[in-house]
């Protein structure tokens, strides 16, 4: 007796079809699961047997063999419990075989309840792409799976429900997909709470308008972290396409709240400076997303930047440049997207008061050099905006009016992003920071005066080719905020100003 039931697995962010083939034969009682299963899949034998008994099904006598095809791909996690149980019951004649366009995913409790699993959204998207029309998932994952178009999703709480549905005794009701709407920014921290810091606020606006990386340098207590935590409030809302990308990552990582559909807000990740390089890039015994991927389409904030290990900082170079990271382990390799806005904050020295107008720095010159040299030149070169955050004046702190609100800044950011969306339509580029070198000359045209200024600055500042490109992109964003078609001298001058602090703090004689 033989039966097959469709299911799905996950590799990286890609789903793949898995067929659970159940064969019953004579001989001594034995239950074997083959097809390159990991420990969690092998343990399904005990969960399935107990669930079958507690649900009142008869357990077949003799040898039971379950093959998870294709056999050359690693099968991980408890997602195959439900299809294995159904395959055995179908092979034993206790259930009718499901239609070929049906698939099942879910972990079984010992009493037959179906528990949620990770990675359902990538599975559902692949299911819709490969012709599956009915997908049975744990109820807690149903909203997530319903995001996939062209797919009828059933949320189940028990394997008994699935059995009754297949018999036609108690048909399940499909889950209705929710219409996507991005979350309002009203409950996020507001820039109105920030007093003073006009230059830093302007730099944050430029960073949000063009998706540029930003580094804030200043003494303790000047509001660096406060500014960075308000950055999500002036970023454009997530589009549905971006929300699907972000939700897939959080689904695979097991960080998606139970019962939720698409994520509606851009991620903001702020790992502690003790985080390891593996936790930042992703990995483990089996590849899984790290902080750079969990911040995809959002903000990765690194506070106290020099306190991070050198390995952790250097691993950022490739994700920042390429927008993706490839994690290779013994169990395989996987590529995850990592297109994020990097916001970093640091003190100018270990004590924090180098260059302070009223407090003296207590660090010896050698200590200051060691502290700053933790930030390598190649990483610094990948950060578009270097901003000095000076101590706040008393008059600014005592001003009860506060600063400009995030809503007012967001309006200007959205206007600049609309210009960029129209300009880059059909190219796959979403903002100025993502502009590839092949398109840079076409879209970052300058006036003769701006071209002359850039030529002089390139020679005087000893800029790299990467810095040259990033200055043009920042200038393009500043021109967009001003509503200008071409990059003018004033736009380029402001962009150059944001590349001067590395000369002040790192490349001093």
């Amino acid at each position: 007796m033989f039966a097959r039931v469709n299911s799905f697995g996950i590799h990286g962010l890609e789903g793949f079809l898995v067929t659970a083939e159940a064969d019953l034969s004579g001989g001594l009682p034995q239950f074997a699961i083959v097809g390159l299963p990991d420990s969690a899949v092998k343990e399904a034998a005990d969960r399935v047997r107990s669930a079958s008994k507690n649900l009142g099904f008869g357990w077949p006598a003799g040898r039971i063999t379950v093959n998870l095809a294709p056999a050359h791909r690693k099968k991980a996690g408890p997602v195959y419990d439900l299809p294995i149980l159904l395959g055995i019951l179908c092979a034993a004649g206790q259930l009718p075989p499901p239609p070929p366009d049906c698939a099942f995913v879910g972990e079984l409790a010992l009493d037959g309840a179906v528990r949620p699993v990770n990675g359902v959204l990538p599975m559902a998207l692949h299911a819709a792409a490969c012709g599956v029309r009915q997908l049975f998932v744990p109820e807690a994952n149903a909203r997530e799976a319903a995001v996939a178009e062209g797919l009828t999703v059933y949320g189940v709480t028990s394997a008994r429900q699935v059995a009754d549905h297949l018999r036609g005794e108690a048909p399940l009701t499909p889950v209705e997909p929710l219409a996507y709407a991005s979350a309002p920014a009203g409950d996020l921290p507001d820039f109105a709470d920030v007093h003073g810091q006009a230059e830093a606020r302007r730099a944050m606006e430029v960073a949000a308008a063009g998706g540029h990386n930003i580094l804030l340098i200043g003494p303790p207590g000047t509001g660096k972290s406060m500014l960075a935590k308000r950055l999500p409030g002036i970023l454009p809302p997530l589009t549905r396409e971006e929300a699907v990308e972000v939700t897939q990552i959080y689904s695979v990582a097991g960080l998606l709240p139970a019962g939720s559909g698409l994520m509606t807000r851009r991620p903001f990740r702020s790992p502690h400076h003790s985080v390891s390089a593996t936790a930042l890039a992703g990995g483990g015994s089996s590849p899984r997303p790290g902080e750079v991927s969990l911040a995809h389409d959002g903000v990765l904030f690194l506070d106290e930047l020099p306190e991070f290990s050198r390995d952790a900082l250097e691993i950022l170079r490739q994700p920042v440049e390429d927008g993706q990271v490839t994690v290779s382990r013994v169990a395989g390799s996987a590529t995850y997207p990592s297109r994020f806005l990097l916001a970093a904050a640091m003190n100018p020295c270990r004590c924090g008061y180098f260059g302070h107008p009223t407090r003296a720095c207590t660090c010896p010159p050698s200590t200051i050099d060691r502290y700053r040299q933790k930030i390598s030149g190649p990483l610094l070169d990948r950060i578009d905006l270097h901003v000095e955050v000076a101590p706040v004046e008393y008059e600014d702190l005592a001003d009860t009016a506060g600063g400009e609100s995030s809503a007012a800044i967001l309006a200007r950011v959205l206007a600049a992003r609309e210009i960029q969306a129209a300009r880059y339509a059909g190219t796959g580029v979403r903002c100025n920071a993502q502009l590839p070198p092949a398109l840079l000359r076409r879209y970052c045209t300058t006036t003769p005066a701006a071209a002359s200024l850039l030529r002089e600055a390139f020679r005087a500042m000893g800029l790299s080719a990467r810095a040259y490109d990033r200055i043009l992109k920042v200038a393009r964003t500043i021109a967009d905020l001003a509503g200008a078609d071409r990059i003018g001298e004033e736009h380029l001058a402001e962009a150059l100003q944001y590349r001067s602090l590395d000369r002040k703090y790192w490349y001093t004689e």
Side-chain angles (χ1 to χ4, degrees):
M1 295 173 283
F2 174 83
R4 60 165 56 93
V5 176
N6 292 327
S7 186
F8 288 91
I10 285 291
H11 179 72
L13 290 186
E14 298 294 327
F16 62 92
L17 180 65
V18 174
T19 303
E21 302 171 338
D23 178 74
L24 308 183
S25 59
L28 294 175
Q30 185 178 2
F31 190 175
I33 300 177
V34 298
L36 211 58
D38 72 350
S39 297
V41 180
K42 292 177 182 178
E43 292 169 353
D46 296 318
R47 292 191 295 269
V48 167
R49 184 185 293 109
S50 296
S52 175
K53 178 193 70 173
N54 292 319
L55 288 171
F57 294 110
W59 187 253
R63 180 181 178 86
I64 303 173
T65 304
V66 174
N67 177 43
L68 300 177
H72 70 279
R73 303 199 71 165
K74 183 78 172 179
K75 316 302 185 309
V79 298
Y80 308 107
D81 290 5
L82 181 58
I84 289 174
L85 173 62
L86 296 177
I88 293 172
L89 296 179
C90 291
Q94 300 183 54
L95 287 180
D101 64 348
C102 287
F104 305 84
V105 169
E107 176 187 349
L108 290 178
L110 298 185
D111 62 354
V114 180
R115 290 173 172 160
V117 295
N118 298 338
V120 167
L121 179 54
M123 295 179 193
L125 293 171
H126 185 74
C130 67
V132 170
R133 293 296 169 258
Q134 300 179 67
L135 182 63
F136 295 77
V137 300
E139 188 176 43
N141 299 120
R143 292 293 181 192
E144 173 188 349
V147 170
E149 298 176 348
L151 198 62
T152 301
V153 175
Y154 298 95
V156 298
T157 58
S158 169
R160 170 64 67 183
Q161 288 182 316
V162 182
D164 292 343
H165 177 89
L166 294 176
R167 289 172 176 155
E169 297 175 358
L172 293 168
T173 302
V175 177
E176 291 294 330
L178 297 176
Y180 175 71
S182 60
D187 56 344
L188 293 175
D190 200 307
F191 266 93
D193 303 329
V194 180
H195 293 261
Q197 303 297 5
E199 295 82 3
R201 291 165 62 98
R202 167 64 176 178
M204 299 299 281
E205 179 180 337
V206 173
H212 303 289
N213 302 323
I214 184 169
L215 172 63
L216 303 173
I217 308 174
T222 54
K224 302 185 296 295
S225 299
M226 190 178 188
L227 286 162
K229 291 175 181 177
R230 280 151 180 76
L231 187 55
I234 61 172
L235 288 174
L238 271 179
T239 64
R240 189 182 189 281
E241 180 184 0
E242 291 172 330
V244 171
E245 294 175 356
V246 174
T247 306
Q248 286 187 80
I249 297 170
Y250 277 72
S251 176
V252 169
L255 299 178
L256 198 63
S260 64
L262 288 176
M263 293 184 64
T264 58
R265 181 162 287 156
R266 293 188 182 275
F268 180 84
R269 304 292 298 183
S270 181
H272 191 261
H273 58 74
S274 61
V275 67
S276 67
T278 299
L280 269 181
S285 57
S286 296
R288 57 171 288 137
E291 291 291 340
V292 297
S293 297
L294 294 172
H296 178 66
D297 281 332
V299 177
L300 178 64
F301 176 46
L302 303 183
D303 201 6
E304 305 296 343
L305 188 64
E307 300 300 332
F308 286 77
S309 70
R310 185 64 179 255
D311 289 343
L313 291 180
E314 292 308 302
I315 212 166
L316 290 172
R317 287 158 60 171
Q318 186 251 338
V320 167
E321 189 73 14
D322 299 337
Q324 63 180 24
V325 59
T326 299
V327 180
S328 297
R329 295 292 183 269
V330 174
S333 63
T335 299
Y336 300 103
S338 59
R339 190 173 53 247
F340 54 86
L341 192 162
L342 174 63
M346 62 174 288
N347 297 326
C349 65
R350 184 166 292 281
C351 78
Y353 295 104
F354 178 84
H356 195 280
T358 58
R359 296 190 61 171
C361 173
T362 60
C363 300
S366 58
T367 302
I368 296 175
D369 289 340
R370 284 196 302 271
Y371 182 78
R372 294 176 184 167
Q373 292 309 315
K374 291 183 178 181
I375 316 300
S376 69
L379 177 60
L380 196 64
D381 209 30
R382 288 167 167 80
I383 301 178
D384 305 336
L385 309 175
H386 308 156
V387 183
E388 189 164 27
V389 185
V392 185
E393 299 293 338
Y394 173 80
E395 290 74 17
D396 291 326
L397 289 173
D399 185 6
T400 58
E404 188 179 25
S405 68
S406 292
I409 301 173
L410 177 60
R412 296 194 294 270
V413 169
L414 290 177
R417 287 288 185 119
E418 288 175 2
I419 293 173
Q420 294 167 45
R423 180 191 301 133
Y424 304 132
T427 65
V429 177
R430 296 177 181 173
C431 59
N432 289 329
Q434 298 175 13
L435 194 62
L439 300 178
L440 193 68
R441 304 301 180 267
R442 182 192 305 177
Y443 295 114
C444 294
T445 57
T446 60
T447 63
S452 177
L453 175 61
L454 183 57
R455 184 184 307 110
E456 294 175 7
F458 185 85
R459 293 170 179 169
M461 299 172 68
L463 298 173
S464 66
R466 181 184 292 111
Y468 171 85
D469 288 353
R470 290 181 179 270
I471 287 171
L472 277 178
K473 294 175 188 178
V474 172
R476 178 68 270 174
T477 299
I478 296 170
D480 289 341
L481 286 168
D485 293 333
R486 300 178 69 188
I487 299 173
E489 188 176 16
E490 66 279 14
H491 310 135
L492 193 58
E494 183 178 352
L496 287 168
Q497 169 190 314
Y498 295 130
R499 297 294 300 201
S500 60
L501 284 187
D502 55 346
R503 271 73 192 167
K504 174 179 178 180
Y505 287 111
W506 276 270
Y507 306 129
T508 55
E509 295 296 335

